[in-house]
Amino acid sequence: MKKSMFLITAFLSLSIATAQDFVVDDIAYHVIPGTTNVEVAKKTDCYTGAVAIPETVTYNASTYTVSRIGYLAFEDCSELTSVSLSNSITRIKVGAFTNCSGLTSVDFSDALTFVGVSAFEGCESLTSVEFPNSLKTISRSGFASCKSLTSVSLGESLVAIADNAFSGCESLVSIDIPDSVYYIGDNAFRQCRALTSVTLGNSVDTIDHSAFSGCDNLASVTLKRSTPIFIFETVFDFGGTSLAEIDLHVPVDSELDYGEARVWKDFNIVASSPLSSSKIVEPEDGIITVFPIPANNRLNLKEHSTAKLEQATLFSINGEVVKTSNAHSIDVSSLNQGLYTLKIETTEGVITKKVIKK
């Protein structure tokens, strides 16, 4: 992780060396080309103390909207203690607050949709984070090695928690994954050694390798969906804790299904609340399977009934069409990582499926 972060830092430092266009009230800004927006930029001396980012800034008689935090903007600012982000800010870019070891609190923008790679990695004094309901993605290593982080509140629009997002957050006690989340990446909560309870929302359909490995004090896992999803044995890979010692709370009437499912059957299965609105019915069951999820290079579709594929359309998270095909294999190698919606038109109707490009 350290090596990859060094390479990112080395490359990006060169690209942003002249990114600062002007400074107002001790905050540096870079004008985003072709817009009247600016991003907060890295400056020659580190930011210190409490920093409040405004919604707009005026320079040379021009007023700009502050819309994002730029690459490595606050990197290694060890004397930065708190940050308040105005509601105009929608994105926090790569490494923006990496290794801000003195940062204790962040007040996020209510419009924030994206937290970039390693954005808060190594913020060792950060104790809690509360994300707005606007946030959709926490990127790779977003909050990795935040060793003092004890509390995380995830928003209701979050769809993906990427690889290593909270790995090494050794003080984190519990995590409640909201119903909006579909994907939990490799090592997402690896070595969160204080973690005792996990709740997984009813839309989670992919938990990648080692997502909760090394969480040796885990005592309770609560699942909201009635149908067990396939997971690898490494998802809950512990040093000395047996899965039989961990209570798995599942919806009433789904105990038998979990008792026969790979990995899940090894837990101590406990019936929880009635299914009610938590019951998930996959629309593609028995008709078409989409695999693998997450996908690296190709997304495959396999028919299981008399329904025949007519057209598949892949949409970005913003609703833009990025791929169309009438074949049973779609090349996604050129797409960016993230969540997509796949609309599958068949001779027996239309199916939609959330998919992840890794």
Side-chain angles (χ1 to χ4, degrees):
M1 182 185 299
K2 290 183 178 178
K3 181 178 180 182
S4 61
M5 193 61 226
F6 172 78
L7 292 174
I8 291 173
T9 302
F11 173 78
L12 292 176
S13 293
L14 290 174
S15 66
I16 67 167
T18 58
Q20 173 183 314
D21 291 330
F22 60 85
V23 176
V24 174
D25 294 333
D26 209 30
I27 298 175
Y29 297 96
H30 165 61
V31 178
I32 300 171
T35 74
T36 57
N37 294 349
V38 293
E39 63 182 13
V40 177
K42 194 177 183 72
K43 61 177 185 174
T44 52
D45 57 327
C46 257
Y47 296 92
T48 62
V51 174
I53 309 299
E55 290 193 9
T56 61
V57 61
T58 300
Y59 181 74
N60 280 351
S62 296
T63 298
Y64 302 91
T65 298
V66 185
S67 64
R68 66 194 189 196
I69 307 298
Y71 291 115
L72 306 175
F74 295 85
E75 179 198 24
D76 293 333
C77 291
S78 59
E79 295 183 24
L80 178 72
T81 57
S82 67
V83 173
S84 177
L85 305 180
S86 66
N87 288 334
S88 60
I89 293 174
T90 60
R91 297 174 68 85
I92 299 175
K93 301 188 76 175
V94 174
F97 295 91
T98 298
N99 295 329
C100 290
S101 56
L103 182 64
T104 59
S105 66
V106 180
D107 184 8
F108 290 102
S109 160
D110 287 339
L112 186 69
T113 61
F114 178 83
V115 173
V117 173
S118 299
F120 291 88
E121 183 174 6
C123 292
E124 298 180 348
S125 299
L126 194 61
T127 57
S128 66
V129 290
E130 183 175 352
F131 296 111
N133 288 332
S134 56
L135 184 66
K136 298 182 183 300
T137 303
I138 300 173
S139 296
R140 186 175 69 253
S141 301
F143 290 82
S145 300
C146 290
K147 296 181 179 181
S148 298
L149 192 63
T150 60
S151 172
V152 173
S153 177
L154 301 174
E156 297 175 359
S157 296
L158 187 68
V159 294
I161 301 173
D163 301 352
N164 293 293
F166 294 95
S167 66
C169 292
E170 57 189 37
S171 299
L172 185 63
V173 175
S174 65
I175 190 70
D176 188 344
I177 308 297
D179 292 341
S180 55
V181 172
Y182 287 87
Y183 174 69
I184 301 173
D186 288 346
N187 301 305
F189 295 91
R190 181 178 62 86
Q191 293 185 352
C192 291
R193 300 193 183 282
L195 194 65
T196 59
S197 67
V198 171
T199 298
L200 299 175
N202 59 30
S203 295
V204 173
D205 60 16
T206 301
I207 305 176
D208 234 327
H209 294 278
S210 304
F212 295 94
S213 67
C215 298
D216 299 336
N217 289 300
L218 190 63
S220 172
V221 176
T222 299
L223 301 174
K224 293 184 180 180
R225 64 181 293 158
S226 60
T227 306
I229 62 171
F230 172 88
I231 63 171
F232 298 97
E233 292 178 354
T234 56
V235 167
F236 296 97
D237 184 14
F238 308 127
T241 305
S242 167
L243 294 184
E245 300 174 37
I246 302 173
D247 290 340
L248 183 70
H249 298 272
V250 301
V252 170
D253 296 332
S254 65
E255 303 100 307
L256 182 59
D257 289 337
Y258 278 97
E260 296 176 345
R262 172 189 171 94
V263 182
W264 299 119
K265 64 183 176 61
D266 296 328
F267 285 81
N268 177 42
I269 298 174
V270 180
S272 186
S273 59
L275 294 177
S276 63
S277 61
S278 295
K279 184 172 182 179
I280 297 297
V281 178
E282 298 291 351
E284 70 276 22
D285 281 355
I287 300 177
I288 289 182
T289 296
V290 179
F291 66 97
I293 298 178
N296 283 319
N297 298 313
R298 305 199 72 83
L299 198 60
N300 302 302
L301 290 77
K302 183 178 180 181
E303 297 154 340
H304 293 287
S305 71
T306 56
K308 299 300 179 185
L309 175 67
E310 292 184 335
Q311 181 170 286
T313 306
L314 201 59
F315 297 87
S316 72
I317 199 170
N318 297 319
E320 300 172 348
V321 175
V322 294
K323 287 279 183 178
T324 57
S325 175
N326 57 9
H328 289 79
S329 183
I330 305 172
D331 183 2
V332 295
S333 59
S334 62
L335 299 182
N336 294 328
Q337 293 181 353
L339 181 75
Y340 294 83
T341 298
L342 181 65
K343 178 182 177 183
I344 308 169
E345 298 175 60
T346 77
T347 54
E348 294 186 5
V350 177
I351 299 161
T352 59
K353 174 71 176 176
K354 298 292 184 182
V355 297
I356 300 288
K357 167 62 170 65
K358 190 173 180 181

